[in-house]
Amino acid sequence: MRKIFFILSYAILSLIAFSYEIIGKSYEENPENLLKTVSIDIDNSGNVYLVDYLSGKIVILDETYKYKDRIMGLNLPSALIIEGNKGYISETGDNRVSIYDFETKIKKSYGSAGMVQGKFNHPGNIYIIGNEIYVVDEENFRIQVFSEKMEYIREIMLPKYNKNHKSVYNNNYGLVELQGKIYVLDIYNKCVYIYSGKKMESKINIPASNVYDLITYSGK
């Protein structure tokens, strides 16, 4: 009886392993497959770039939304913004920002875990305003501003939120620039902060049950 039990157990485990192997092969054979898309951008040619947080890749589709290419080897990428032939990517797994050159296919990474300037604790959304790169440094509660070559310029401090909170895609803040002022959306605290330079001018509370509805994609 025990022997039959072990034979059945072995057969079931082998079947499960075989099933996972088939799924894995299917995934490899279909590189356009996505597990958890968290960010999107479009280049000047109309190509669409989808950031897959879990599988650590960016899937590139042409203007007709057909699979074109992919970028692999990213560690929990959470945000992407494209400027010219370069993509600026937040890699939260390594607490760094990477610049990927789409022509040379070379990636350069900047930063590591830490609290001083140029280091990150969960880098999130990235924005380009003028010639400056704004990186939301989520759990250091600040926005770090860099040159296009990722040279540190300054920082904008943000009000803190409860660190036990995990917002959708782990990105709690969004921002937009208008007439020289920076508007920062704080999803957790349900409010908008208005900055002029480093100084917060005002705070607007949002009477909304779902502030995710306020996040919209704005083109360049």
Side-chain angles (χ1 to χ4, degrees):
M1 186 70 179
R2 182 176 296 180
K3 185 176 180 181
I4 294 174
F5 172 77
F6 281 121
I7 291 172
L8 288 173
S9 299
Y10 177 79
I12 292 170
L13 290 173
S14 298
L15 181 60
I16 293 172
F18 176 75
S19 299
Y20 278 118
E21 182 181 354
I22 294 300
I23 292 171
K25 284 183 177 178
S26 175
Y27 186 79
E28 290 173 0
E29 290 166 3
N30 294 281
E32 69 273 21
N33 284 357
L34 297 162
L35 293 177
K36 183 179 181 182
T37 51
V38 296
S39 184
I40 184 174
D41 204 359
I42 302 172
D43 67 16
N44 294 329
S45 299
N47 296 312
V48 179
Y49 296 73
L50 300 173
V51 178
D52 192 330
Y53 181 79
L54 290 181
S55 63
K57 69 181 180 183
I58 296 173
V59 171
I60 305 171
L61 310 176
D62 65 19
E63 62 274 12
T64 64
Y65 307 107
K66 292 181 180 178
Y67 175 79
K68 185 174 182 179
D69 200 358
R70 62 178 174 173
I71 301 166
M72 301 292 293
L74 303 171
N75 192 349
L76 299 181
S78 64
L80 162 73
I81 190 163
I82 297 170
E83 184 69 13
N85 66 333
K86 292 184 173 64
Y88 294 80
I89 309 161
S90 283
E91 292 190 70
T92 60
D94 287 322
N95 286 298
R96 67 188 184 187
V97 171
S98 295
I99 302 178
Y100 186 87
D101 190 308
F102 296 110
E103 291 182 355
T104 64
K105 301 193 181 300
I106 293 174
K107 183 182 78 168
K108 294 183 179 179
S109 298
Y110 302 85
S112 58
M115 299 176 65
V116 301
Q117 64 185 41
K119 293 184 179 291
F120 305 98
N121 186 359
H122 195 115
N125 286 321
I126 302 178
Y127 302 88
I128 297 178
I129 301 174
N131 295 321
E132 296 179 335
I133 312 300
Y134 286 63
V135 181
V136 181
D137 192 1
E138 288 276 333
E139 295 187 359
N140 280 329
F141 305 104
R142 64 185 177 182
I143 298 168
Q144 295 197 64
V145 185
F146 301 89
S147 70
E148 291 176 318
K149 296 180 180 180
M150 289 303 293
E151 298 164 332
Y152 176 84
I153 299 175
R154 64 185 180 277
E155 68 181 12
I156 301 170
M157 298 307 298
L158 298 169
K160 294 184 177 181
Y161 59 85
N162 185 344
K163 279 196 175 183
N164 292 325
H165 161 70
K166 293 296 181 184
S167 56
V168 172
Y169 309 140
N170 303 313
N171 289 342
N172 192 73
Y173 301 102
L175 70 87
V176 67
E177 184 269 345
L178 181 63
Q179 297 179 344
K181 295 185 180 182
I182 302 296
Y183 295 75
V184 180
L185 171 65
D186 182 336
I187 295 174
Y188 178 76
N189 289 314
K190 295 184 179 180
C191 57
V192 172
Y193 311 117
I194 303 174
Y195 287 85
S196 179
K198 293 182 178 181
K199 183 180 178 182
M200 185 194 297
E201 287 189 347
S202 58
K203 169 185 172 182
I204 303 171
N205 292 317
I206 303 169
S209 59
N210 185 2
V211 293
Y212 300 121
D213 296 338
L214 298 174
I215 299 179
T216 58
Y217 173 78
S218 58
K220 299 183 184 64

